[in-house]
Amino acid sequence: MASPLQSLLGNESSYTKSFQIFLDYSTEHQCMHEFIDTILQDHLTSIGNDKSELNVLGIGSGKGQIDLHILSYLKLKHPGVSINNEVVDPNVEHLKSYRELVAKTPHLENISFTWNTMTASDFKDKLDKETEARKFDFIHMIQMLYYVEDPGEVIKYFHGLLAQNGKLLIIIVSGNSGWERLWTECRSQLCYTSANHYVTSDDIMKTLDTFGLKYQHFDIPSTFNITECFGANNEIGDLMLDFLTETVNFRATAPPDLRDDVLALLRHPDCSLEKDGKFLFNNTLTAIIVES
C-alpha cells in the first residue's frame, strides 16, 4: 500500500512557506550571523593569497541573507578586491528573493553575481563540461547536504575546486540536536526519498576524517520555538510540523499513531526544552571549516 505522505521537497511552494515559518520562529539565522561575526570572519582573512580577484561559490544559498553577511566580511578583509560570487540553488522562489535582496542592499560594489537555478549535481555537470578548470577561494554549503544523493562525494568534488589557501564552510545540524533524535526514531515512517538524507555533523566529520582532510568545527547553539505545533487548528503549527517531518500537510495526512508519536517525541527532553510554557526544539548546528 502506498504511503499517504507527500514529500515536502517535491512541492517547492509548500517547502518555501514552511521554511519561512521555521526562520521566523527559530534563532537559526541570528546564530549563524553571530558565528560569522565572531569566528568565521577571522578565517576569511587568509584566503586569496593577496589576489586582486576572489572567486566565491555558494551551494544551496537560499534567499541570500547569510551569503551577503559573509560577502560583507570578505569585502572588509580584502578591500578593493573584486569578488565573483557564484550562486547555486534549485529553488526559483528563493533565488528570486535573493536577487531582490541584492537589488536593495547598499555597498555591493566590486561584487558580481552569477545565478544558477540548479542543484549541486547539475552545477557539477556544468563545471565538468567547461573547457577551463575553475578554482574557488571560498565555498560554502549551508544546510544543504541533506538534499544530495551522496554527501561525501559532493564534499570531495567541491573541496577539489578550492584554490590554494581556499576554505570550505559546511554548516549542518549537530549530532547532539533534536533533529538527530527525531530522525533516529521516526525516519523509517516519514516520507524518506532519494532527495533527502538524514545526516548530521557527526556523519560529515567522519567522512572528512576518512578523506584525511584538515578541519575545525564549532557548535552553534540554536532553538526553534515549536509551541504552536501542539495547538489544534493552527496553520503556523501545521507548517512547523510539515517542516520538521519534511511532509506536506503532515497533521492531516499522517496515520494517527505516527502523528501522535511525532508530537510526543517533539515534547521529549531529548528533542526540546520546555521553558516558560514554550517548547524550544534543539536546533543546534555545527559549522565545519575545511582547509584546502
Side-chain angles (χ1 to χ4, degrees):
M1 181 178 176
S3 170
L5 304 182
Q6 178 188 349
S7 172
L8 190 65
L9 301 181
N11 188 319
E12 186 172 286
S13 178
S14 294
Y15 176 84
T16 299
K17 194 173 181 180
S18 64
F19 179 62
Q20 187 58 52
I21 291 295
F22 167 71
L23 292 181
D24 291 343
Y25 283 81
S26 77
T27 63
E28 175 152 309
H29 272 190
Q30 298 95 305
C31 294
M32 285 187 190
H33 283 299
E34 184 178 349
F35 163 74
I36 294 167
D37 292 340
T38 59
I39 296 175
L40 181 63
Q41 64 155 313
D42 292 332
H43 290 265
L44 297 177
T45 305
S46 62
I47 71 171
N49 277 344
D50 298 320
K51 296 190 297 187
S52 61
E53 188 174 79
L54 293 176
N55 294 316
V56 177
L57 173 60
I59 307 174
S61 288
K63 296 182 178 182
Q65 298 99 322
I66 302 301
D67 287 36
L68 293 190
H69 200 58
I70 293 172
L71 289 169
S72 70
Y73 275 110
L74 282 170
K75 278 173 57 70
L76 179 66
K77 299 295 183 179
H78 303 274
V81 171
S82 297
I83 300 173
N84 303 315
N85 186 52
E86 193 99 24
V87 180
V88 178
D89 197 294
N91 190 306
V92 173
E93 294 183 40
H94 282 175
L95 286 188
K96 179 176 181 290
S97 296
Y98 193 156
R99 287 174 180 263
E100 291 171 351
L101 182 62
V102 167
K104 64 184 181 183
T105 301
H107 312 303
L108 294 180
E109 59 274 7
N110 295 336
I111 303 178
S112 63
F113 292 83
T114 303
W115 309 97
N116 300 275
T117 310
M118 59 183 67
T119 65
S121 177
D122 291 337
F123 187 69
K124 173 186 178 297
D125 292 341
K126 176 184 175 182
L127 292 181
D128 287 343
K129 292 174 184 175
E130 294 181 358
T131 56
E132 186 174 342
R134 281 203 269 167
K135 292 289 184 179
F136 295 91
D137 300 288
F138 185 70
I139 300 174
H140 55 84
M141 303 176 177
I142 298 175
Q143 292 286 57
M144 58 72 62
L145 284 172
Y146 323 103
Y147 311 121
V148 299
E149 188 169 343
D150 189 331
E153 285 304 306
V154 168
I155 292 170
K156 184 176 182 180
Y157 176 82
F158 286 103
H159 180 268
L161 299 182
L162 288 176
Q164 185 178 10
N165 286 349
K167 296 181 189 293
L168 166 64
L169 169 66
I170 298 169
I171 298 182
I172 195 164
V173 296
S174 168
N176 297 318
S177 68
W179 292 102
E180 197 280 335
R181 176 65 190 274
L182 177 62
W183 292 339
T184 298
E185 295 291 326
C186 298
R187 64 187 300 174
S188 63
Q189 302 172 76
L190 295 176
C191 196
Y192 179 83
T193 73
S194 61
N196 63 317
H197 295 271
Y198 300 120
V199 292
T200 70
S201 59
D202 291 349
D203 302 306
I204 299 305
M205 288 190 284
K206 287 177 184 176
T207 297
L208 295 173
D209 290 337
T210 299
F211 292 156
L213 297 177
K214 181 181 177 182
Y215 63 90
Q216 298 180 58
H217 64 94
F218 309 87
D219 278 342
I220 307 176
S222 171
T223 59
F224 178 20
N225 183 350
I226 61 169
T227 310
E228 302 283 348
C229 284
F230 307 107
N233 301 318
N234 187 319
E235 182 182 3
I236 291 174
D238 289 349
L239 288 169
M240 289 178 175
L241 275 175
D242 289 357
F243 186 78
L244 287 161
T245 61
E246 294 186 342
T247 302
V248 176
N249 204 9
F250 175 80
R251 194 190 301 270
T253 61
D257 56 343
L258 174 59
R259 182 187 63 232
D260 293 345
D261 286 348
V262 167
L263 287 170
L265 184 58
L266 290 174
R267 288 178 179 268
H268 194 280
D270 285 351
C271 281
S272 301
L273 170 69
E274 185 177 2
K275 182 178 181 181
D276 299 328
K278 298 179 180 179
F279 288 90
L280 304 178
F281 184 79
N282 181 351
N283 186 55
T284 297
L285 309 170
T286 300
I288 306 169
I289 301 175
V290 190
E291 305 292 333
S292 60

